[in-house]
Amino acid sequence: MPTFAIGVDLGGTNLRIAAVDERGTVLEKTALDTQASRGRDFVITEMCEAIRATVSKIPSATLAGIGIGVPGIIDMDTGMLRESPNLPGWHDYPVRDEIERRLGTKVILENDANSAALGEKWLGAARDHDDMLMLTLGTGVGGGIVFGGRIWHGMRGMAGEPGHITIEPEGPPCPCGNRGCLEQFASATAVVRMAREAIAKDASSALAHAAQGSVALTAKSVYQLAMQGDNGAQQVYRRVGWALGIGLADLINLLNLPIYVIGGGVASAWEAFLPALLEEVRKRSFVYRATAPGESSGAGRKTIITRALLGGDAGLLGAARLPMLASEVSMQEGVRKRA
Ligand SMILES: [Zn+2]
């Protein structure tokens, strides 16, 4: 009998569930409101019911397990959420064990940005590579590292937080406790903050006029202004590219991976930040210069910096991949034991 897995993308506002087969084909898909304000037990009950309903629609295949992508810091040893700003009240609660108990199936909890990285590795921009790093530019900046087709977890599951590497030591304070993190320059929140700073400096700019109008100042509206030639808006995205370039230069020197994938809503402004990003990476990373696409770096494999392909589905598909990888590991262990 063929197998399939359930992927869950549990956000602060949306809860999405997909049944996915081993080739990555989506068999069923559901979306609900998370209603986080109604509390943890309500959300878990709704989620378990929706998972049961999804599974019951696929009687002709065996369920391999459930992968759940969650925002926040997850302790992989205990299957608990250590910190999740979007899911208040879930702190230090045995999320994984409770869902396993209710559904009677293996559950794997994973950070949502790690799940997105795994999704892009499996079916997206990095599908032809075993090793990759992904940056997700959303409200914050998330990330994930995949080595040998699997998420690199570090000691307890907290590895892969490139959003909190320091870009400017005395820069804006970050909720993580540091200052001048990449997230403070390359997230949607940071784009809006930097646009407001630019407006405060020059109230006569087109950016300031736009902000006074009916259009809300968002990462998207600032991007649209940049594309229309507004200098202030272009400066904001040059700053995004500058920060991403500094961060990526460090990561490229450290990891020498074949591919770095950039996704999330802010990545839609790709054309507006890419030139500054590449300029900075080239200036700061000798590993990049030695492996950059083009003539000057000679023959051999090149460092690819590219956009994500799966959009909002990356995390959902990556979550579904988790139990498949786990069952491959247990099969390999079984073979080793028998040998
Ligand atoms: Zn930070």
Side-chain angles (χ1 to χ4, degrees):
M1 197 139 107
T3 59
F4 73 102
I6 295 286
V8 181
D9 184 9
L10 173 59
T13 48
N14 289 304
L15 169 64
R16 298 190 306 144
I17 296 168
V20 184
D21 73 11
E22 285 165 302
R23 287 176 307 171
T25 310
V26 175
L27 308 171
E28 284 290 337
K29 211 168 165 179
T30 322
L32 322 164
D33 295 337
T34 303
Q35 302 193 43
S37 62
R38 297 185 69 171
R40 184 185 69 203
D41 291 329
F42 179 85
V43 174
I44 290 177
T45 302
E46 288 263 282
M47 177 167 66
C48 288
E49 270 170 30
I51 291 172
R52 272 193 209 102
T54 307
V55 171
S56 71
K57 288 180 192 162
I58 307 158
S60 57
T62 310
L63 177 62
I66 300 164
I68 305 177
V70 197
I73 299 173
I74 291 152
D75 190 324
M76 297 300 286
D77 284 354
T78 60
M80 289 190 192
L81 273 172
R82 291 291 300 274
E83 250 180 78
S84 187
N86 301 323
L87 296 169
W90 292 56
H91 177 77
D92 288 340
Y93 174 79
V95 185
R96 179 190 63 202
D97 295 353
E98 179 59 24
I99 299 168
E100 268 184 1
R101 191 185 65 75
R102 292 196 196 192
L103 294 174
T105 310
K106 186 170 181 54
V107 171
I108 301 172
L109 210 58
E110 185 55 85
N111 169 269
D112 59 350
N114 281 352
S115 297
L118 187 63
E120 287 289 338
K121 188 270 158 278
W122 185 29
L123 301 165
R127 65 186 174 277
D128 297 329
H129 302 270
D130 287 333
D131 305 322
M132 61 90 78
L133 180 142
M134 181 167 175
L135 285 171
T136 304
L137 315 179
T139 316
V141 174
I145 304 169
V146 174
F147 289 149
R150 291 169 188 278
I151 295 166
W152 177 256
H153 282 117
M155 182 176 63
R156 282 173 64 177
M158 299 171 197
E161 290 291 349
H164 299 282
I165 55 178
T166 305
I167 302 299
E168 207 173 58
E170 302 307 323
C174 185
C176 75
N178 187 19
R179 297 188 81 95
C181 289
L182 179 57
E183 179 167 298
Q184 296 307 314
F185 300 99
S187 62
T189 319
V191 168
V192 173
R193 190 203 73 239
M194 292 188 291
R196 287 196 203 290
E197 286 167 1
I199 291 164
K201 270 190 204 145
D202 180 7
S204 65
S205 67
L207 192 57
H209 283 290
Q212 281 156 10
S214 55
V215 182
L217 206 56
T218 62
K220 193 177 174 187
S221 64
V222 177
Y223 168 61
Q224 282 162 346
L225 285 167
M227 287 294 100
Q228 287 159 20
D230 179 79
N231 190 43
Q234 286 173 349
Q235 288 282 7
V236 168
Y237 274 103
R238 271 201 285 275
R239 191 109 168 114
V240 172
W242 165 84
L244 284 169
I246 294 175
L248 278 170
D250 288 348
L251 294 166
I252 291 166
N253 283 349
L254 184 69
L255 299 169
N256 187 206
L257 297 174
I259 185 164
Y260 301 81
V261 178
I262 304 179
V266 177
S268 309
W270 185 255
E271 297 87 350
F273 65 72
L274 187 67
L277 183 159
L278 290 177
E279 188 189 322
E280 213 60 40
V281 164
R282 192 169 270 286
K283 201 161 70 187
R284 292 177 187 268
S285 169
F286 68 95
V287 175
Y288 183 76
R289 287 195 302 277
T291 59
E295 289 299 306
S296 58
S297 62
R301 295 168 71 191
K302 307 292 185 187
T303 299
I304 302 165
I305 299 172
T306 191
R307 282 182 74 167
L309 290 180
L310 302 176
D313 284 345
L316 192 59
L317 293 166
R321 182 68 175 149
L322 294 164
M324 297 179 196
L325 287 173
S327 66
E328 278 174 26
V329 169
S330 54
M331 273 167 67
Q332 282 163 6
E333 279 167 0
V335 169
R336 267 201 296 275
K337 272 179 200 148
R338 284 196 292 277

